[in-house]
PDB file of all heavy atoms in Angstrom:
ATOM      1  N   ALA A   7       1.125  13.077  11.892  1.00  0.00           N
ATOM      2  CA  ALA A   7       0.655  12.806  13.255  1.00  0.00           C
ATOM      3  C   ALA A   7      -0.295  13.932  13.655  1.00  0.00           C
ATOM      4  O   ALA A   7      -0.074  15.089  13.273  1.00  0.00           O
ATOM      5  CB  ALA A   7       1.818  12.733  14.229  1.00  0.00           C
ATOM      6  N   HIS A   9      -0.946  15.805  16.275  1.00  0.00           N
ATOM      7  CA  HIS A   9      -0.519  17.056  16.920  1.00  0.00           C
ATOM      8  C   HIS A   9       0.249  17.964  15.964  1.00  0.00           C
ATOM      9  O   HIS A   9       0.330  19.158  16.186  1.00  0.00           O
ATOM     10  CB  HIS A   9       0.308  16.763  18.170  1.00  0.00           C
ATOM     11  CG  HIS A   9       1.692  16.264  17.899  1.00  0.00           C
ATOM     12  ND1 HIS A   9       1.963  14.973  17.510  1.00  0.00           N
ATOM     13  CD2 HIS A   9       2.898  16.884  17.946  1.00  0.00           C
ATOM     14  CE1 HIS A   9       3.259  14.820  17.357  1.00  0.00           C
ATOM     15  NE2 HIS A   9       3.845  15.962  17.605  1.00  0.00           N
ATOM     16  N   GLN A  10       0.838  17.387  14.910  1.00  0.00           N
ATOM     17  CA  GLN A  10       1.662  18.181  14.007  1.00  0.00           C
ATOM     18  C   GLN A  10       0.868  18.815  12.871  1.00  0.00           C
ATOM     19  O   GLN A  10       1.405  19.625  12.129  1.00  0.00           O
ATOM     20  CB  GLN A  10       2.801  17.319  13.447  1.00  0.00           C
ATOM     21  CG  GLN A  10       3.837  16.971  14.503  1.00  0.00           C
ATOM     22  CD  GLN A  10       4.855  15.950  14.030  1.00  0.00           C
ATOM     23  OE1 GLN A  10       4.767  14.776  14.351  1.00  0.00           O
ATOM     24  NE2 GLN A  10       5.827  16.394  13.263  1.00  0.00           N
ATOM     25  N   HIS A 122       1.159   9.174  19.658  1.00  0.00           N
ATOM     26  CA  HIS A 122       2.243   9.788  18.878  1.00  0.00           C
ATOM     27  C   HIS A 122       2.621  11.124  19.515  1.00  0.00           C
ATOM     28  O   HIS A 122       2.224  12.186  19.058  1.00  0.00           O
ATOM     29  CB  HIS A 122       1.798   9.981  17.419  1.00  0.00           C
ATOM     30  CG  HIS A 122       2.923  10.311  16.473  1.00  0.00           C
ATOM     31  ND1 HIS A 122       3.066   9.700  15.249  1.00  0.00           N
ATOM     32  CD2 HIS A 122       3.960  11.179  16.574  1.00  0.00           C
ATOM     33  CE1 HIS A 122       4.145  10.184  14.640  1.00  0.00           C
ATOM     34  NE2 HIS A 122       4.701  11.094  15.419  1.00  0.00           N
ATOM     35  N   PHE A 123       3.354  11.088  20.627  1.00  0.00           N
ATOM     36  CA  PHE A 123       3.846  12.294  21.321  1.00  0.00           C
ATOM     37  C   PHE A 123       2.666  13.194  21.747  1.00  0.00           C
ATOM     38  O   PHE A 123       2.755  14.422  21.664  1.00  0.00           O
ATOM     39  CB  PHE A 123       4.788  13.114  20.415  1.00  0.00           C
ATOM     40  CG  PHE A 123       5.904  12.355  19.736  1.00  0.00           C
ATOM     41  CD1 PHE A 123       6.606  12.921  18.680  1.00  0.00           C
ATOM     42  CD2 PHE A 123       6.298  11.089  20.162  1.00  0.00           C
ATOM     43  CE1 PHE A 123       7.652  12.252  18.046  1.00  0.00           C
ATOM     44  CE2 PHE A 123       7.340  10.406  19.531  1.00  0.00           C
ATOM     45  CZ  PHE A 123       8.013  10.999  18.467  1.00  0.00           C
ATOM     46  N   ASN A 167       4.388   5.520  19.165  1.00  0.00           N
ATOM     47  CA  ASN A 167       5.285   6.000  18.104  1.00  0.00           C
ATOM     48  C   ASN A 167       6.736   6.082  18.573  1.00  0.00           C
ATOM     49  O   ASN A 167       7.016   6.674  19.621  1.00  0.00           O
ATOM     50  CB  ASN A 167       4.847   7.399  17.645  1.00  0.00           C
ATOM     51  CG  ASN A 167       5.626   7.860  16.427  1.00  0.00           C
ATOM     52  OD1 ASN A 167       5.499   7.270  15.360  1.00  0.00           O
ATOM     53  ND2 ASN A 167       6.456   8.884  16.591  1.00  0.00           N
ATOM     54  N   GLU A 168       7.626   5.503  17.785  1.00  0.00           N
ATOM     55  CA  GLU A 168       9.073   5.597  18.037  1.00  0.00           C
ATOM     56  C   GLU A 168       9.388   5.416  19.519  1.00  0.00           C
ATOM     57  O   GLU A 168      10.070   6.244  20.126  1.00  0.00           O
ATOM     58  CB  GLU A 168       9.626   6.927  17.525  1.00  0.00           C
ATOM     59  CG  GLU A 168       9.590   7.039  16.011  1.00  0.00           C
ATOM     60  CD  GLU A 168      10.336   8.250  15.468  1.00  0.00           C
ATOM     61  OE1 GLU A 168      10.484   9.242  16.197  1.00  0.00           O
ATOM     62  OE2 GLU A 168      10.762   8.200  14.293  1.00  0.00           O
ATOM     63  N   ASN A 171      12.938   6.123  20.899  1.00  0.00           N
ATOM     64  CA  ASN A 171      13.658   7.413  20.907  1.00  0.00           C
ATOM     65  C   ASN A 171      14.266   7.696  22.272  1.00  0.00           C
ATOM     66  O   ASN A 171      15.326   8.296  22.392  1.00  0.00           O
ATOM     67  CB  ASN A 171      12.704   8.576  20.595  1.00  0.00           C
ATOM     68  CG  ASN A 171      12.463   8.753  19.110  1.00  0.00           C
ATOM     69  OD1 ASN A 171      13.138   8.148  18.297  1.00  0.00           O
ATOM     70  ND2 ASN A 171      11.491   9.579  18.779  1.00  0.00           N
ATOM     71  N   PHE A 179      13.645  16.456  25.342  1.00  0.00           N
ATOM     72  CA  PHE A 179      12.524  16.360  24.409  1.00  0.00           C
ATOM     73  C   PHE A 179      12.107  14.906  24.187  1.00  0.00           C
ATOM     74  O   PHE A 179      10.919  14.573  24.190  1.00  0.00           O
ATOM     75  CB  PHE A 179      12.933  17.025  23.081  1.00  0.00           C
ATOM     76  CG  PHE A 179      11.984  16.791  21.946  1.00  0.00           C
ATOM     77  CD1 PHE A 179      10.832  17.553  21.812  1.00  0.00           C
ATOM     78  CD2 PHE A 179      12.235  15.797  20.999  1.00  0.00           C
ATOM     79  CE1 PHE A 179       9.948  17.339  20.747  1.00  0.00           C
ATOM     80  CE2 PHE A 179      11.362  15.574  19.940  1.00  0.00           C
ATOM     81  CZ  PHE A 179      10.213  16.341  19.815  1.00  0.00           C
ATOM     82  N   LEU A 180      13.081  14.033  23.989  1.00  0.00           N
ATOM     83  CA  LEU A 180      12.754  12.645  23.634  1.00  0.00           C
ATOM     84  C   LEU A 180      12.099  11.908  24.804  1.00  0.00           C
ATOM     85  O   LEU A 180      11.181  11.114  24.615  1.00  0.00           O
ATOM     86  CB  LEU A 180      14.006  11.909  23.140  1.00  0.00           C
ATOM     87  CG  LEU A 180      14.614  12.483  21.845  1.00  0.00           C
ATOM     88  CD1 LEU A 180      15.922  11.789  21.510  1.00  0.00           C
ATOM     89  CD2 LEU A 180      13.644  12.381  20.668  1.00  0.00           C
ATOM     90  N   MET A 229       6.010   0.555  16.785  1.00  0.00           N
ATOM     91  CA  MET A 229       6.564   1.595  15.919  1.00  0.00           C
ATOM     92  C   MET A 229       7.941   1.969  16.473  1.00  0.00           C
ATOM     93  O   MET A 229       8.063   2.497  17.574  1.00  0.00           O
ATOM     94  CB  MET A 229       5.608   2.796  15.891  1.00  0.00           C
ATOM     95  CG  MET A 229       5.764   3.710  14.666  1.00  0.00           C
ATOM     96  SD  MET A 229       7.435   4.303  14.389  1.00  0.00           S
ATOM     97  CE  MET A 229       7.165   5.760  13.458  1.00  0.00           C
ATOM     98  N   ALA A 231      11.835   3.680  15.801  1.00  0.00           N
ATOM     99  CA  ALA A 231      12.680   4.565  14.989  1.00  0.00           C
ATOM    100  C   ALA A 231      13.926   3.774  14.602  1.00  0.00           C
ATOM    101  O   ALA A 231      14.793   3.524  15.435  1.00  0.00           O
ATOM    102  CB  ALA A 231      13.064   5.818  15.768  1.00  0.00           C
ATOM    103  N   VAL A 233      17.226   3.676  13.289  1.00  0.00           N
ATOM    104  CA  VAL A 233      18.416   4.470  12.980  1.00  0.00           C
ATOM    105  C   VAL A 233      19.591   3.512  13.140  1.00  0.00           C
ATOM    106  O   VAL A 233      20.078   3.319  14.254  1.00  0.00           O
ATOM    107  CB  VAL A 233      18.560   5.680  13.938  1.00  0.00           C
ATOM    108  CG1 VAL A 233      19.791   6.507  13.577  1.00  0.00           C
ATOM    109  CG2 VAL A 233      17.311   6.547  13.942  1.00  0.00           C
ATOM    110  N   SER A 303      10.039   3.916  11.359  1.00  0.00           N
ATOM    111  CA  SER A 303      10.440   5.087  10.593  1.00  0.00           C
ATOM    112  C   SER A 303      11.884   4.877  10.164  1.00  0.00           C
ATOM    113  O   SER A 303      12.655   4.193  10.842  1.00  0.00           O
ATOM    114  CB  SER A 303      10.336   6.356  11.443  1.00  0.00           C
ATOM    115  OG  SER A 303      11.241   6.301  12.533  1.00  0.00           O
ATOM    116  N   TYR A 305      14.956   7.496   8.613  1.00  0.00           N
ATOM    117  CA  TYR A 305      15.439   8.759   8.059  1.00  0.00           C
ATOM    118  C   TYR A 305      16.939   8.741   7.797  1.00  0.00           C
ATOM    119  O   TYR A 305      17.407   9.370   6.851  1.00  0.00           O
ATOM    120  CB  TYR A 305      15.148   9.924   9.024  1.00  0.00           C
ATOM    121  CG  TYR A 305      13.673  10.221   9.175  1.00  0.00           C
ATOM    122  CD1 TYR A 305      12.918   9.587  10.153  1.00  0.00           C
ATOM    123  CD2 TYR A 305      13.037  11.114   8.320  1.00  0.00           C
ATOM    124  CE1 TYR A 305      11.559   9.837  10.273  1.00  0.00           C
ATOM    125  CE2 TYR A 305      11.683  11.371   8.437  1.00  0.00           C
ATOM    126  CZ  TYR A 305      10.948  10.735   9.418  1.00  0.00           C
ATOM    127  OH  TYR A 305       9.604  10.986   9.536  1.00  0.00           O
ATOM    128  N   MET A 306      17.689   8.079   8.682  1.00  0.00           N
ATOM    129  CA  MET A 306      19.154   8.252   8.692  1.00  0.00           C
ATOM    130  C   MET A 306      19.815   7.110   9.435  1.00  0.00           C
ATOM    131  O   MET A 306      19.148   6.323  10.106  1.00  0.00           O
ATOM    132  CB  MET A 306      19.483   9.553   9.434  1.00  0.00           C
ATOM    133  CG  MET A 306      19.003   9.501  10.882  1.00  0.00           C
ATOM    134  SD  MET A 306      19.206  11.069  11.749  1.00  0.00           S
ATOM    135  CE  MET A 306      17.808  11.041  12.853  1.00  0.00           C
ATOM    136  N   TRP A 340      20.976  15.513   9.774  1.00  0.00           N
ATOM    137  CA  TRP A 340      20.535  14.122   9.600  1.00  0.00           C
ATOM    138  C   TRP A 340      21.247  13.554   8.375  1.00  0.00           C
ATOM    139  O   TRP A 340      21.154  14.134   7.278  1.00  0.00           O
ATOM    140  CB  TRP A 340      19.008  14.049   9.417  1.00  0.00           C
ATOM    141  CG  TRP A 340      18.232  14.437  10.650  1.00  0.00           C
ATOM    142  CD1 TRP A 340      18.678  15.212  11.686  1.00  0.00           C
ATOM    143  CD2 TRP A 340      16.881  14.068  10.984  1.00  0.00           C
ATOM    144  NE1 TRP A 340      17.682  15.343  12.644  1.00  0.00           N
ATOM    145  CE2 TRP A 340      16.577  14.655  12.234  1.00  0.00           C
ATOM    146  CE3 TRP A 340      15.908  13.297  10.342  1.00  0.00           C
ATOM    147  CZ2 TRP A 340      15.332  14.497  12.860  1.00  0.00           C
ATOM    148  CZ3 TRP A 340      14.667  13.141  10.975  1.00  0.00           C
ATOM    149  CH2 TRP A 340      14.394  13.728  12.215  1.00  0.00           C
ATOM    150  N   GLU A 366       7.306   5.824   8.018  1.00  0.00           N
ATOM    151  CA  GLU A 366       7.881   7.168   7.868  1.00  0.00           C
ATOM    152  C   GLU A 366       9.194   7.046   7.129  1.00  0.00           C
ATOM    153  O   GLU A 366       9.989   6.148   7.415  1.00  0.00           O
ATOM    154  CB  GLU A 366       8.178   7.836   9.226  1.00  0.00           C
ATOM    155  CG  GLU A 366       6.965   8.266   9.997  1.00  0.00           C
ATOM    156  CD  GLU A 366       7.307   8.988  11.297  1.00  0.00           C
ATOM    157  OE1 GLU A 366       8.353   9.654  11.365  1.00  0.00           O
ATOM    158  OE2 GLU A 366       6.526   8.855  12.244  1.00  0.00           O
ATOM    159  N   TRP A 413       7.005  10.388   5.018  1.00  0.00           N
ATOM    160  CA  TRP A 413       6.782  11.570   5.837  1.00  0.00           C
ATOM    161  C   TRP A 413       7.189  12.758   5.011  1.00  0.00           C
ATOM    162  O   TRP A 413       8.337  12.801   4.585  1.00  0.00           O
ATOM    163  CB  TRP A 413       7.636  11.476   7.106  1.00  0.00           C
ATOM    164  CG  TRP A 413       7.252  12.441   8.168  1.00  0.00           C
ATOM    165  CD1 TRP A 413       7.773  13.681   8.366  1.00  0.00           C
ATOM    166  CD2 TRP A 413       6.265  12.218   9.182  1.00  0.00           C
ATOM    167  NE1 TRP A 413       7.179  14.249   9.448  1.00  0.00           N
ATOM    168  CE2 TRP A 413       6.249  13.385   9.969  1.00  0.00           C
ATOM    169  CE3 TRP A 413       5.399  11.175   9.499  1.00  0.00           C
ATOM    170  CZ2 TRP A 413       5.401  13.534  11.059  1.00  0.00           C
ATOM    171  CZ3 TRP A 413       4.560  11.313  10.576  1.00  0.00           C
ATOM    172  CH2 TRP A 413       4.561  12.486  11.339  1.00  0.00           C
ATOM    173  N   ILE A 418       3.912  20.007   7.532  1.00  0.00           N
ATOM    174  CA  ILE A 418       3.348  20.071   8.888  1.00  0.00           C
ATOM    175  C   ILE A 418       4.411  20.638   9.827  1.00  0.00           C
ATOM    176  O   ILE A 418       5.524  20.920   9.401  1.00  0.00           O
ATOM    177  CB  ILE A 418       2.912  18.661   9.373  1.00  0.00           C
ATOM    178  CG1 ILE A 418       4.098  17.686   9.303  1.00  0.00           C
ATOM    179  CG2 ILE A 418       1.754  18.134   8.526  1.00  0.00           C
ATOM    180  CD1 ILE A 418       3.770  16.310   9.819  1.00  0.00           C
ATOM    181  N   VAL A 419       4.066  20.783  11.080  1.00  0.00           N
ATOM    182  CA  VAL A 419       5.015  21.290  12.077  1.00  0.00           C
ATOM    183  C   VAL A 419       6.040  20.187  12.384  1.00  0.00           C
ATOM    184  O   VAL A 419       5.663  19.044  12.631  1.00  0.00           O
ATOM    185  CB  VAL A 419       4.264  21.673  13.379  1.00  0.00           C
ATOM    186  CG1 VAL A 419       5.242  22.072  14.478  1.00  0.00           C
ATOM    187  CG2 VAL A 419       3.258  22.790  13.109  1.00  0.00           C
ATOM    188  N   SER A 420       7.316  20.521  12.360  1.00  0.00           N
ATOM    189  CA  SER A 420       8.356  19.545  12.713  1.00  0.00           C
ATOM    190  C   SER A 420       8.216  19.161  14.185  1.00  0.00           C
ATOM    191  O   SER A 420       7.987  20.015  15.046  1.00  0.00           O
ATOM    192  CB  SER A 420       9.739  20.151  12.463  1.00  0.00           C
ATOM    193  OG  SER A 420      10.716  19.517  13.260  1.00  0.00           O
ATOM    194  N   ALA A 421       8.357  17.870  14.441  1.00  0.00           N
ATOM    195  CA  ALA A 421       8.265  17.418  15.841  1.00  0.00           C
ATOM    196  C   ALA A 421       9.470  17.899  16.634  1.00  0.00           C
ATOM    197  O   ALA A 421       9.349  18.452  17.722  1.00  0.00           O
ATOM    198  CB  ALA A 421       8.161  15.902  15.908  1.00  0.00           C
ATOM    199  N   GLY A 422      10.649  17.711  16.070  1.00  0.00           N
ATOM    200  CA  GLY A 422      11.873  17.979  16.813  1.00  0.00           C
ATOM    201  C   GLY A 422      12.132  19.450  17.038  1.00  0.00           C
ATOM    202  O   GLY A 422      12.620  19.844  18.100  1.00  0.00           O
ATOM    203  N   THR A 423      11.813  20.287  16.061  1.00  0.00           N
ATOM    204  CA  THR A 423      12.154  21.712  16.169  1.00  0.00           C
ATOM    205  C   THR A 423      10.945  22.633  16.287  1.00  0.00           C
ATOM    206  O   THR A 423      11.107  23.808  16.611  1.00  0.00           O
ATOM    207  CB  THR A 423      12.985  22.187  14.955  1.00  0.00           C
ATOM    208  OG1 THR A 423      12.134  22.222  13.802  1.00  0.00           O
ATOM    209  CG2 THR A 423      14.170  21.261  14.686  1.00  0.00           C
ATOM    210  N   LYS A 428      11.016  23.442   8.224  1.00  0.00           N
ATOM    211  CA  LYS A 428      11.655  22.137   7.975  1.00  0.00           C
ATOM    212  C   LYS A 428      10.551  21.296   7.335  1.00  0.00           C
ATOM    213  O   LYS A 428       9.780  20.623   8.009  1.00  0.00           O
ATOM    214  CB  LYS A 428      12.157  21.506   9.271  1.00  0.00           C
ATOM    215  CG  LYS A 428      12.978  20.235   9.036  1.00  0.00           C
ATOM    216  CD  LYS A 428      13.400  19.548  10.336  1.00  0.00           C
ATOM    217  CE  LYS A 428      14.324  18.367  10.050  1.00  0.00           C
ATOM    218  NZ  LYS A 428      14.585  17.534  11.242  1.00  0.00           N
ATOM    219  N   TYR A 430       8.538  18.587   4.809  1.00  0.00           N
ATOM    220  CA  TYR A 430       8.640  17.206   4.328  1.00  0.00           C
ATOM    221  C   TYR A 430       7.592  16.868   3.270  1.00  0.00           C
ATOM    222  O   TYR A 430       7.637  15.804   2.684  1.00  0.00           O
ATOM    223  CB  TYR A 430       8.408  16.228   5.489  1.00  0.00           C
ATOM    224  CG  TYR A 430       9.532  16.083   6.481  1.00  0.00           C
ATOM    225  CD1 TYR A 430       9.626  16.921   7.589  1.00  0.00           C
ATOM    226  CD2 TYR A 430      10.482  15.074   6.334  1.00  0.00           C
ATOM    227  CE1 TYR A 430      10.642  16.765   8.523  1.00  0.00           C
ATOM    228  CE2 TYR A 430      11.487  14.904   7.263  1.00  0.00           C
ATOM    229  CZ  TYR A 430      11.571  15.753   8.359  1.00  0.00           C
ATOM    230  OH  TYR A 430      12.571  15.592   9.284  1.00  0.00           O
TER     231      TYR A 430
HETATM  232  P1  P53 B   1      11.232  16.161  12.657  1.00  0.00           P
HETATM  233  C1  P53 B   1      14.108  11.761  16.102  1.00  0.00           C
HETATM  234  C2  P53 B   1      14.738  10.840  15.268  1.00  0.00           C
HETATM  235  C3  P53 B   1      14.044  10.277  14.216  1.00  0.00           C
HETATM  236  C4  P53 B   1      12.707  10.615  13.994  1.00  0.00           C
HETATM  237  O1  P53 B   1      11.197  14.572  12.544  1.00  0.00           O
HETATM  238  C5  P53 B   1      12.087  11.509  14.845  1.00  0.00           C
HETATM  239  C6  P53 B   1      12.787  12.084  15.894  1.00  0.00           C
HETATM  240  C7  P53 B   1      12.119  13.075  16.785  1.00  0.00           C
HETATM  241  O2  P53 B   1      12.235  14.366  16.257  1.00  0.00           O
HETATM  242  O3  P53 B   1      10.785  11.833  14.736  1.00  0.00           O
HETATM  243  C8  P53 B   1       9.931  11.241  13.773  1.00  0.00           C
HETATM  244  O4  P53 B   1       9.823  16.622  12.536  1.00  0.00           O
HETATM  245  C9  P53 B   1       8.523  11.377  14.303  1.00  0.00           C
HETATM  246  C10 P53 B   1       7.708  12.424  13.613  1.00  0.00           C
HETATM  247  C11 P53 B   1       8.623  13.532  13.117  1.00  0.00           C
HETATM  248  C12 P53 B   1       9.541  12.939  12.064  1.00  0.00           C
HETATM  249  O5  P53 B   1      10.263  11.839  12.567  1.00  0.00           O
HETATM  250  O6  P53 B   1      11.831  16.430  13.987  1.00  0.00           O
HETATM  251  O7  P53 B   1       7.811  10.155  14.343  1.00  0.00           O
HETATM  252  O8  P53 B   1       6.697  12.868  14.499  1.00  0.00           O
HETATM  253  O9  P53 B   1       7.957  14.635  12.611  1.00  0.00           O
HETATM  254  C13 P53 B   1      10.512  13.948  11.501  1.00  0.00           C
HETATM  255  O10 P53 B   1      12.078  16.640  11.519  1.00  0.00           O
END
Side-chain angles (χ1 to χ4, degrees):
H9 74 283
Q10 290 171 259
H122 193 135
F123 310 165
N167 188 66
E168 292 189 335
N171 278 350
F179 170 82
L180 297 174
M229 202 306 204
V233 181
S303 64
Y305 293 90
M306 61 186 147
W340 293 22
E366 289 183 31
W413 194 267
I418 56 177
V419 174
S420 156
T423 71
K428 187 184 185 189
Y430 286 88

